[in-house]
Amino acid sequence: MERFEEKVNRDGPTPEYRPELGACWLWTAATADGYGRFGRDGKSNQAHVVSHELYVGPVPDGYEVDHLCRVTLCVRPTHLEAVTGAENLRRQAEAQWTNCKYGHLFTPENTLRQHGRRRCRTCKNAAQLKYDRARRSKEIAE
Ligand SMILES: [Zn+2]
Ligand SMILES: [Zn+2]
């Protein structure tokens, strides 16, 4: 558990999708497909599933661990719920229409159209900011 907690940032953002849940705990170590990975007993597991096992209890057979906050890197136990695979798929399909993969809502103001696809304005602005900062610090260094 200690090794797990070292890799968690408990000061994550509050999910816009479900602000009442409180701040997300973000996974800061290895990831794959947008999910945190945690190596245990020689196997690589999804970090949010490990979190559920550590803090809540074992995940029943045939169940998957869903993110109530819709933030796939979040491992906060109170943001997780074990649901059947079918229920998880249903929620994912529904969520795709309501928020980006970081949990920002696709409100009309927050939705950009790019090549016929929706893009989250909050994420785009954050990416732009990061890019600008990187460029500026490079210019200073030169
Ligand atoms: Zn969360
Ligand atoms: Zn976003």
Side-chain angles (χ1 to χ4, degrees):
M1 189 177 271
E2 221 169 272
R3 217 161 50 79
F4 184 84
E5 288 183 339
E6 265 168 22
K7 299 179 167 65
V8 177
N9 167 18
R10 296 195 179 202
D11 299 319
T14 302
E16 230 176 290
Y17 183 70
R18 293 280 300 274
E20 75 277 11
L21 292 172
C24 284
W25 293 3
L26 296 182
W27 186 249
T28 61
T31 64
D33 302 325
Y35 291 94
R37 306 295 307 185
F38 181 70
R40 196 177 50 168
D41 307 327
K43 275 192 292 187
S44 174
N45 301 277
Q46 287 191 320
H48 67 292
V49 176
V50 176
S51 174
H52 190 283
E53 288 169 355
L54 285 176
Y55 300 98
V56 184
V59 180
D61 261 355
Y63 277 64
E64 295 170 3
V65 179
D66 182 40
H67 283 93
L68 299 174
C69 57
R70 299 274 153 247
V71 179
T72 55
L73 283 182
C74 176
V75 297
R76 185 167 181 170
T78 54
H79 292 194
L80 304 172
E81 188 186 4
V83 294
T84 61
E87 171 66 10
N88 202 12
L89 280 179
R90 194 193 62 74
R91 288 183 184 186
Q92 275 169 15
E94 188 187 88
Q96 267 179 8
W97 286 103
T98 58
N99 59 267
C100 83
K101 65 177 175 175
Y102 292 99
H104 305 126
L105 287 178
F106 277 131
T107 58
E109 307 78 59
N110 192 43
T111 305
L112 297 168
R113 293 262 162 201
Q114 235 175 21
H115 311 296
R117 295 177 64 182
R118 290 184 309 173
R119 188 154 183 215
C120 168
R121 189 185 290 271
T122 308
C123 283
K124 184 183 174 271
N125 289 347
Q128 183 69 42
L129 205 71
K130 215 168 144 186
Y131 174 80
D132 287 347
R133 264 203 215 116
R135 212 179 44 179
R136 233 176 291 136
S137 63
K138 202 175 149 226
E139 278 167 11
I140 291 164
E142 276 169 4

